Structures are given as structure tokens and as C-alpha cells.
Amino acid sequence: MEGQVCVVGAGVIGLSSAVCIQKKVPNVKVTVIAEKFSPNTTSDGAAGFWEPHILSDTPQELIRRWGNKTWDHLKTLYRSPQAVEAGVILLSGYHLHKTPQQVPAWASTVFGFRHLTKQELQQFDNFSCGWFASHLLCEGRKYLPWLMTKFKKAGGKVQQGKVSSLNELANHY
């Protein structure tokens, strides 16, 4: 049975969702409807620096699971020939804190996590704690066109328009 799905929005969340639906639900027709497309979305001006954070009342286990799935996806892209086109790069740097901090839950996930030495901390005024790690970063201005190409190659359709209410779509999808 062939179904129809509409995804509203063409930023990272919308296009990622559309591609995932295509992959997980065979024989479904997916349409993305958005007022703006790349390069005019909020996602085009942003970069996704992988580092999960607490989200309101979201259970820690869900944050961990979602974070790990995202890390695995980005790591697979980073190690693939598509990394440059998809905008997935490795970014290494210091995490500096003025007060002692607990080791973050993601420390064992990123590449090369280590605590800074006293000598390293002396290079930075007013910081008493820190670590060094290499994270994955996803550049929206590259990732969105890469996702859109993948979506269209899989038969996805695109429609420009403003959706004021999901009720507008109810009779079509």
C-alpha cells in the first residue's frame, strides 16, 4: 500500500525527517512543504556542534540515546567520501570553566577527551577547570543541499508555500 506523508519545513529537522521517512517507510510518497528553502533557512546560518545538553524535562536516557544516534550518523558521514559535500567536519578545542565541573556524559563518545593540565590552564586567565576534545560539526549551508539532493533522488517532492495550520493539509496527506 502506497501512502503519502507531508513534512512541513525544509531546515535540518524537516529534511532529515523527510529522508528518514523515505528510508524507514517503503513505498511512501513524501512531500516537503516550506515557505523557505536553502539558502534562506535558519539552518543555513547555523552549524551543528555535536554536544548533547539537558532539555527541560527530557529524561537523561533519551538525551543519551538521541545524542548517540546523531553522533553515529555524523561519524559515518565524516568517515565517508561524502563528508566534504555534506559539510561534516572534525573540530577540536578547549572547553574552559571558571568553576569545577563534572565530567560530561558525552566524554567517552567524542574523540580524544582529556582533562587539561595545570600548565595548559595557566594559558587562560580566570579558568580553573577544563578539557580538550574533538567533536563533529555539521555545517548547515552544506548539509541542507546534500540532504535535499538525497531526498529528491529518492523520489521526494518539494512544494513552496506557507502552512498556517496543519488542518490545511489534512485532506491531502
Side-chain angles (χ1 to χ4, degrees):
M1 180 179 190
E2 201 171 273
Q4 293 186 79
V5 173
C6 178
V7 174
V8 178
V12 169
I13 300 299
L15 287 179
S16 295
S17 297
V19 168
C20 284
I21 291 166
Q22 287 175 317
K23 186 177 178 181
K24 299 279 184 181
V25 185
N27 301 318
V28 68
K29 291 181 180 179
V30 183
T31 301
V32 170
I33 298 178
E35 184 176 9
K36 295 180 181 179
F37 291 89
S38 186
N40 300 310
T41 71
T42 301
S43 296
D44 283 288
F49 178 78
W50 185 91
E51 187 178 293
H53 292 278
I54 294 173
L55 306 167
S56 188
D57 295 336
T58 305
Q60 189 67 32
E61 173 55 28
L62 279 179
I63 294 169
R64 186 196 60 75
R65 191 170 69 212
W66 295 337
N68 287 344
K69 277 189 167 283
T70 302
W71 176 265
D72 290 343
H73 171 71
L74 292 174
K75 185 170 68 172
T76 298
L77 273 175
Y78 173 70
R79 291 179 170 167
S80 78
Q82 299 173 328
V84 172
E85 184 183 353
V88 179
I89 62 171
L90 190 64
L91 182 67
S92 300
Y94 295 102
H95 295 249
L96 302 167
H97 303 279
K98 294 184 178 193
T99 59
Q101 303 287 311
Q102 289 185 346
V103 173
W106 46 259
S108 63
T109 304
V110 297
F111 300 121
F113 178 92
R114 66 176 177 78
H115 290 276
L116 297 180
T117 65
K118 284 184 179 184
Q119 288 175 321
E120 287 174 310
L121 282 169
Q122 288 172 353
Q123 297 177 61
F124 307 101
D125 293 335
N126 302 317
F127 293 100
S128 63
C129 173
W131 44 77
F132 180 89
S134 296
H135 294 255
L136 293 168
L137 179 105
C138 183
E139 299 176 81
R141 65 184 175 82
K142 291 183 177 182
Y143 192 60
L144 287 178
W146 180 81
L147 278 174
M148 183 60 83
T149 298
K150 190 173 180 169
F151 174 69
K152 286 180 175 180
K153 279 185 181 177
K157 302 293 180 210
V158 175
Q159 181 180 331
Q160 187 165 13
K162 183 175 181 172
V163 178
S164 299
S165 168
L166 294 179
N167 289 333
E168 297 171 25
L169 307 173
N171 293 330
H172 306 285
Y173 299 96

